[in-house]
């Protein structure tokens, strides 16, 4: 078992990959076999695929606050109007698709939470064909993400209510960045660097859902989290380093999260939630300000 990124990286050297270490850890800490664990992860992947497809086709949330933007982005990408790279735009589209499905109360895979479910699925589905990932390699992508996510969860947090969106979308983005590094042939050390780069650039991000719902600005934060993950992965693969080690960055994120006031931790009592428009929407949905 590993409890820090340093331990994760060191222990991974005794296995073919970080993913293999994570599967071994799951076997040790559960009553399941490796085959059962990989089967369960395969089901998670299927849910991710369906949610992306459903969201791109076009959905609307129960409240009407969000929906239809993944479909707009898909048209935008098809028309070749975009200014950033196509892989990033597809990851952004996919991330929004998943979170729009979540907002309509559809089935998604919480990775690590429902509110941040779009990031990992968005990045993986945008890159799997480009990296020629087999089904097993896609599962390894998810296991790698889970390994780094486990460390973040144990040393900081993964919920906006606990430590702001830096810990929710931030952790999802760091997980995706690490997994993308290894999927593209990078080392465990480079994956750790991608985690550090991602988290330090999302540190301080507050959780301020309008009307207390996981819609605004949550859906678009997943989109930007997906793009951050891809940029961080590229930086790590290019040989860029993080001056502050990943474990120290995670510790700093934890401290910042504890310092955030309750108004900025998913209560809907600060930030965008208390703008005039945010309050108007809350009243429209719930009948009170």
């Amino acid at each position: 078992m590993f409890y820090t990124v340093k331990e994760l990286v060191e222990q991974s050297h005794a296995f073919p990959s970080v993913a293999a270490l994570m599967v071994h850890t799951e076997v040790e800490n559960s009553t399941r076999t490796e085959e059962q664990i990989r089967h369960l992860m395969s089901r998670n992947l299927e849910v991710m695929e369906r949610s992306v497809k459903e969201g791109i086709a076009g959905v609307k949330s129960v409240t009407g606050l969000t929906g239809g933007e993944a479909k707009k982005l898909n048209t935008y990408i098809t028309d070749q109007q975009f200014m950033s790279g196509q892989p990033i735009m597809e990851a952004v589209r996919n991330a929004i698709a998943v979170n729009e499905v979540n907002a309509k109360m559809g089935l998604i895979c919480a990775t690590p939470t429902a509110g941040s479910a779009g990031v990992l699925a968005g990045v993986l589905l945008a890159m799997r064909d480009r990296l020629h990932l087999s089904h097993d390699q896609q599962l390894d992508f998810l296991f790698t993400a889970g390994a780094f996510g486990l460390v973040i969860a144990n040393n900081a947090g993964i919920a906006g209510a606990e430590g702001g969106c830096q810990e929710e979308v931030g952790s999802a983005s760091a997980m995706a960045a690490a997994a993308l590094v290894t999927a593209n042939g990078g080392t465990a050390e480079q994956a750790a660097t991608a985690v550090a780069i991602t988290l330090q650039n999302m540190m301080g991000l507050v959780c301020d859902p309008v009307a207390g719902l996981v819609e605004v600005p949550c859906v678009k934060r997943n989109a930007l989290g997906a793009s951050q993950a891809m940029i961080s992965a590229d930086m790590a693969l290019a040989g860029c380093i993080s001056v502050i080690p990943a474990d120290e960055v995670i510790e700093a994120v934890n401290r910042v999260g504890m310092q955030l006031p309750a108004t900025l931790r998913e209560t809907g009592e600060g930030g965008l939630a208390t703008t005039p428009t945010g309050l108007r929407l809350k009243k429209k949905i719930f009948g009170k300000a």
Side-chain angles (χ1 to χ4, degrees):
M1 182 63 184
F2 49 86
Y3 297 94
T4 66
V5 171
K6 183 179 179 181
E7 290 176 351
L8 188 165
V9 170
E10 290 174 348
Q11 290 181 31
S12 72
H13 294 156
F15 292 84
S17 64
V18 172
L21 168 62
M22 188 64 221
V23 172
H24 173 77
T25 302
E26 282 291 294
V27 170
E28 280 193 327
N29 290 281
S30 73
T31 59
R32 300 186 179 103
T33 65
E34 179 175 342
E35 183 180 2
Q36 290 172 323
I37 290 167
R38 294 190 72 86
H39 175 69
L40 288 171
M41 188 62 85
S42 184
R43 289 174 55 191
N44 291 337
L45 177 58
E46 289 172 7
V47 171
M48 290 179 182
E49 292 169 335
R50 288 199 299 269
S51 61
V52 168
K53 184 177 181 180
E54 182 182 357
I56 290 174
V59 296
K60 273 287 184 183
S61 69
V62 176
T63 64
L65 277 180
T66 55
E69 298 203 327
K71 186 175 182 178
K72 291 177 185 177
L73 279 167
N74 192 55
T75 300
Y76 184 72
I77 294 168
T78 302
D79 291 343
Q80 300 286 310
Q81 296 176 358
F82 51 87
M83 292 174 284
S84 55
Q86 185 158 343
I88 288 180
M89 285 303 301
E90 290 182 5
V92 164
R93 175 202 63 194
N94 296 347
I96 287 182
V98 173
N99 282 86
E100 288 184 335
V101 169
N102 179 57
K104 73 170 275 287
M105 306 300 289
L107 181 64
I108 53 92
C109 181
T111 46
T113 66
S116 61
V119 178
L120 198 62
V123 171
L124 173 55
L125 270 62
M127 292 303 297
R128 63 181 181 180
D129 290 339
R130 289 179 172 85
L131 296 178
H132 309 292
L133 301 180
S134 67
H135 183 263
D136 279 340
Q137 287 172 324
Q138 291 175 61
L139 300 186
D140 286 346
F141 182 104
L142 298 176
F143 281 118
T144 300
F148 284 95
L150 183 61
V151 173
I152 296 169
N154 285 333
N155 291 281
I158 57 173
E162 185 177 11
C165 204
Q166 59 160 7
E167 288 188 4
E168 189 152 346
V169 171
S171 62
S173 303
M175 291 162 62
L180 186 54
V181 165
T182 59
N184 202 25
T187 65
E189 288 82 1
Q190 288 174 317
T193 295
V195 166
I197 292 172
T198 302
L199 288 176
Q200 66 193 22
N201 282 294
M202 301 190 79
M203 189 181 296
L205 186 60
V206 303
C207 185
D208 53 349
V210 169
L213 302 168
V214 188
E215 297 193 55
V216 179
C218 318
V219 173
K220 291 186 176 66
R221 282 190 180 154
N222 274 258
L224 274 295
S227 65
Q228 173 69 63
M230 296 182 75
I231 294 299
S232 296
D234 268 334
M235 291 177 70
L237 287 167
C240 297
I241 63 169
S242 172
V243 173
I244 310 300
D247 286 316
E248 293 183 30
V249 174
I250 293 170
E251 181 186 0
V253 166
N254 184 48
R255 289 200 309 272
V256 169
M258 291 188 292
Q259 292 166 351
L260 287 176
T263 54
L264 300 176
R265 286 187 281 163
E266 208 174 347
T267 56
E269 297 177 348
L272 295 177
T274 52
T275 60
T277 298
L279 294 173
R280 176 177 58 79
L281 290 170
K282 179 181 178 182
K283 185 176 182 180
K284 179 181 178 181
I285 295 167
F286 296 113
K288 57 183 178 181

